[in-house]
Amino acid sequence: MANKTAAEKLATIQEGYTLQGATIELGATIVDGEVHKEAQVRLPLAMMNRHGLVAGATGTGKTVTLHMMAEQLSTAGVPVFLADIKGDLSGLATAATANEKLTARTESLGQPWEGKVFPVEFLSLGGDGNGVPVRATITSFGPILLSRIMELNDTQESTLQLIFHFADKQNLELIDLKDLRAVIQFLTSDEGKAELENLGGLSKATAGVILRELVNLEAQGMEKFFGEPEFDTAELLRTAPDGRGVISCLELPTLQTKPMLFSTFLMWLLADLFEDLPEAGDLDKPKLVFFLDEAHLLFNGASKAFLDAITTTVRLIRSKGVGIFFVTQTPKDVPADVLGQLANRIQHALRAFTPEDAKALKATVSTFPVSDYDLEETLTSAGIGEAVVTVMNEKGAPTPVALTRLRAPESVMGPSTDELIRSSIAASPLLGKYGTAVDNVSAYEKLSGQGAAPTGEAAPGQPPVPGSVVQHAVDQNAVDADARRIEEEILGRPSSRPAPQPLPEMPAPPASAPQQDGGGMFGDIAGALGGALGGGLKSMVRSLGTQLGRELLRGVFGTSSRRRR
């Protein structure tokens, strides 16, 4: 490769990053150790659904990079999802304050800087941490993802899929862990022996192993992550009243104790969107961008079925307008089939202290296009807040490799105050929708002959009404209005939610009238409630009157495709 002058190198980068459409501004080029603010490095907004990788050793600035990108996406009207591993992404809700060091950096980059607050929705898995609780039902989570959490082998995973198949066929709703435990206990009992034999290939011994693993999950306190009301992933597509994209920040305070659960739960969110969003083709900007931090947790020890499902999802969700950025230490943390789908690369510094480090460095360099940089030297000498960048341009070709000093965020690079976080959560319209857990009639109650546990006040003879729905009826109207907008403008279909109506009175069924699945009085009540209250009573409506007596269709991860919208 012929040696080029600094001016020639700079001209190549300037030409490669001269783009026509809207962009995410990443920073200024460094050539021969000097920052050139006239050579800005940027990422086309329209190419962010081609996915990406943010990699680098610990402490090199990966989290600050995704923080800065999330701010610009929000400003462009693109909703963002972040997994907050260390708790410092909550600073997006607090404006940063300028200081001498910050001002010197932004001026050297040619960055116009102003402290800003961004619209943040704080979420938490099942209420573990600060945020609106995010829950999923066992049915929608599906057997492949659940097998991943329980670390089942291939034979046990196949057995679990047969168990889900049985529950689907028998209208045994798997809402939480006790429902799945009840179904397995039934199949391994004398009473369920005939049903077990009808499920060809299902071993009682293997079912017993799964049951023990399930009990272990309950003993670890994981039951709170599964249940109702189930989180509607369309909430991640919201925009603020001023048009900026809402940044959904999922706090993961106990990641180190439950890494498998958290990484798999994040994949459920993505898989659910994948099953629901319509094909969108090429858009001027994505509908949503996911940043999956500590991405290696997704792949460590994963089964072939799980890896195949991730690869398929990453490959196909692009056409639905969703971009995924994996955040990890080295590209080798990501399987080759997935890495091949990541068109945008932001590689922070790597360390070469050990033979293994040196091997990872060489593997990383081999994944970049030919460039004017000595990448082995560049990647080991880059400073904090600097990264080697190559992205996909608007014509679908890779841009020149550029060592880049990255822009500074305009919100706080650290946690917001506890008071601000608590007040934001209390003011969230989602709190009324998801804040209170409910326990409706499902497999456990059906197999044990029990009724549903009341979760709110109800007149004698009437189904229990979730207290959160009654208490927050006014907020629910606002949430449903936003849900209608999401369905019509983003999901591209007629809204299933009519204009807000007063809470209907629920007639009590005759004491002697048996409950019938999918019909009769309960079916009529369910239909009326589903139209009047939209998502607010979706869990109870499903339990009362939407049991259609057919096997569920399941998606690429084995997740349920029965729509909860």
Side-chain angles (χ1 to χ4, degrees):
M1 181 172 61
N3 291 327
K4 293 183 179 180
T5 65
E8 289 173 329
K9 295 176 184 178
L10 199 61
T12 299
I13 292 172
Q14 285 179 304
E15 181 181 358
Y17 288 93
T18 299
L19 306 168
Q20 301 301 316
T23 62
I24 299 297
E25 300 294 324
L26 296 177
T29 301
I30 301 174
V31 173
D32 293 345
E34 183 179 348
V35 177
H36 295 268
K37 61 183 177 182
E38 70 275 18
Q40 292 292 313
V41 176
R42 45 182 66 94
L43 195 168
L45 198 58
M47 293 293 117
M48 289 201 74
N49 67 336
R50 265 60 171 186
H51 314 315
L53 177 73
V54 180
T58 299
T60 55
K62 299 189 299 294
T63 301
V64 177
T65 296
L66 66 90
H67 185 137
M68 174 265 293
M69 294 173 68
E71 290 181 346
Q72 294 188 56
L73 285 165
S74 175
T75 301
V78 178
V80 178
F81 175 87
L82 300 172
D84 191 1
I85 305 295
K86 297 181 284 289
D88 49 7
L89 290 174
S90 63
L92 284 155
T94 303
T97 303
N99 56 48
E100 186 176 338
K101 183 178 178 181
L102 176 63
T103 301
R105 181 184 182 91
T106 56
E107 288 180 352
S108 72
L109 298 177
Q111 175 186 359
W113 189 93
E114 179 185 357
K116 294 178 183 176
V117 173
F118 293 86
V120 181
E121 183 73 65
F122 294 103
L123 306 174
S124 64
L125 285 186
D128 184 19
N130 294 317
V132 174
V134 175
R135 304 179 186 88
T137 64
I138 292 291
T139 285
S140 73
F141 208 71
I144 296 177
L145 293 179
L146 195 60
S147 296
R148 171 74 170 149
I149 291 177
M150 294 194 289
E151 301 183 70
L152 303 182
N153 61 33
D154 290 345
T155 300
Q156 293 160 352
E157 181 180 310
S158 298
T159 297
L160 186 60
Q161 293 195 48
L162 285 173
I163 293 169
F164 270 73
H165 170 81
F166 169 77
D168 290 348
K169 294 284 284 184
Q170 300 300 319
N171 283 319
L172 294 171
E173 299 89 344
L174 302 177
I175 304 301
D176 50 29
L177 290 177
K178 73 177 185 300
D179 290 320
L180 182 55
R181 174 164 45 84
V183 170
I184 297 174
Q185 287 174 333
F186 170 76
L187 288 172
T188 54
S189 68
D190 292 338
E191 183 182 1
K193 184 177 180 181
E195 296 288 358
L196 186 69
E197 291 177 353
N198 289 335
L199 292 173
L202 197 157
S203 161
K204 182 175 180 178
T206 304
V209 171
I210 297 172
L211 183 60
R212 288 194 296 275
E213 292 298 326
L214 208 58
V215 172
N216 286 338
L217 290 185
E218 292 176 316
Q220 295 172 37
M222 293 189 185
E223 73 279 355
K224 62 185 173 183
F225 301 109
F226 299 100
E228 294 180 313
E230 182 172 76
F231 188 76
D232 188 338
T233 51
E235 312 285 9
L236 302 178
L237 302 171
R238 292 180 301 134
T239 55
D242 61 6
R244 290 183 298 170
V246 171
I247 300 172
S248 298
C249 187
L250 180 68
E251 185 180 21
L252 304 175
T254 57
L255 174 72
Q256 300 307 318
T257 59
K258 305 183 185 76
M260 195 77 73
L261 172 67
F262 288 129
S263 64
T264 309
F265 214 104
L266 296 181
M267 213 62 218
W268 170 79
L269 291 173
L270 196 60
D272 191 74
L273 281 166
F274 172 75
E275 295 299 330
D276 193 50
L277 286 170
E279 292 292 320
D282 292 325
L283 302 173
D284 292 335
K285 61 183 181 182
K287 294 179 179 179
L288 174 70
V289 174
F290 258 68
F291 288 93
L292 300 182
D293 205 353
E294 302 293 344
H296 65 280
L297 296 174
L298 283 172
F299 307 110
N300 287 350
S303 69
K304 185 178 184 302
F306 185 76
L307 291 176
D308 288 346
I310 291 180
T311 304
T312 300
T313 301
V314 171
R315 182 182 298 118
L316 299 180
I317 204 169
R318 177 196 69 77
S319 64
K320 300 192 175 189
V322 177
I324 309 167
F325 278 70
F326 294 92
V327 184
T328 189
Q329 293 200 10
T330 72
K332 67 180 237 177
D333 292 335
V334 181
D337 287 345
V338 176
L339 190 63
Q341 305 297 317
L342 310 183
N344 303 302
R345 299 280 301 279
I346 302 174
Q347 177 68 58
H348 288 262
L350 291 173
R351 308 301 178 217
F353 299 139
T354 69
E356 188 65 26
D357 291 340
K359 185 177 179 181
L361 175 62
K362 288 185 180 294
T364 299
V365 169
S366 69
T367 64
F368 278 90
V370 174
S371 76
D372 296 324
Y373 293 92
D374 179 341
L375 286 181
E376 285 196 30
E377 179 183 348
T378 300
L379 286 175
T380 52
S381 61
I384 296 173
E386 297 176 354
V388 172
V389 176
T390 180
V391 301
M392 182 178 284
N393 68 21
E394 295 160 324
K395 296 180 180 179
T399 58
V401 174
L403 177 60
T404 307
R405 182 162 295 171
L406 299 166
R407 289 194 168 207
E410 296 180 312
S411 54
V412 168
M413 291 184 286
S416 292
T417 64
D418 291 342
E419 291 77 15
L420 186 146
I421 294 173
R422 284 195 294 267
S423 63
S424 297
I425 296 167
S428 170
L430 299 185
L431 186 62
K433 191 173 183 181
Y434 302 108
T436 303
V438 297
D439 188 7
N440 295 302
V441 174
S442 52
Y444 174 80
E445 286 79 18
K446 289 181 177 181
L447 291 172
S448 63
Q450 299 180 21
T455 57
E457 294 182 1
Q462 293 185 358
V465 180
S468 59
V469 173
V470 176
Q471 180 179 354
H472 299 278
V474 176
D475 286 345
Q476 185 60 53
N477 285 339
V479 173
D480 282 342
D482 204 27
R484 285 194 298 277
R485 182 192 64 78
I486 289 171
E487 288 183 301
E488 294 169 352
E489 298 179 13
I490 300 179
L491 299 184
R493 66 184 183 217
S495 176
S496 60
R497 312 199 187 203
Q501 299 180 24
L503 291 173
E505 294 184 4
M506 297 177 58
S512 60
Q515 298 184 16
Q516 298 183 10
D517 292 342
M521 182 175 292
F522 274 7
D524 294 338
I525 292 173
L529 284 175
L533 295 179
L537 287 178
K538 64 181 179 181
S539 301
M540 186 175 68
V541 168
R542 181 171 66 245
S543 294
L544 288 174
T546 59
Q547 300 160 10
L548 302 178
R550 67 175 185 267
E551 181 179 1
L552 296 178
L553 297 176
R554 294 192 172 275
V556 67
F557 275 94
T559 51
S560 167
S561 62
R562 180 184 290 176
R563 287 298 86 205
R564 300 176 304 283
R565 318 280 189 243

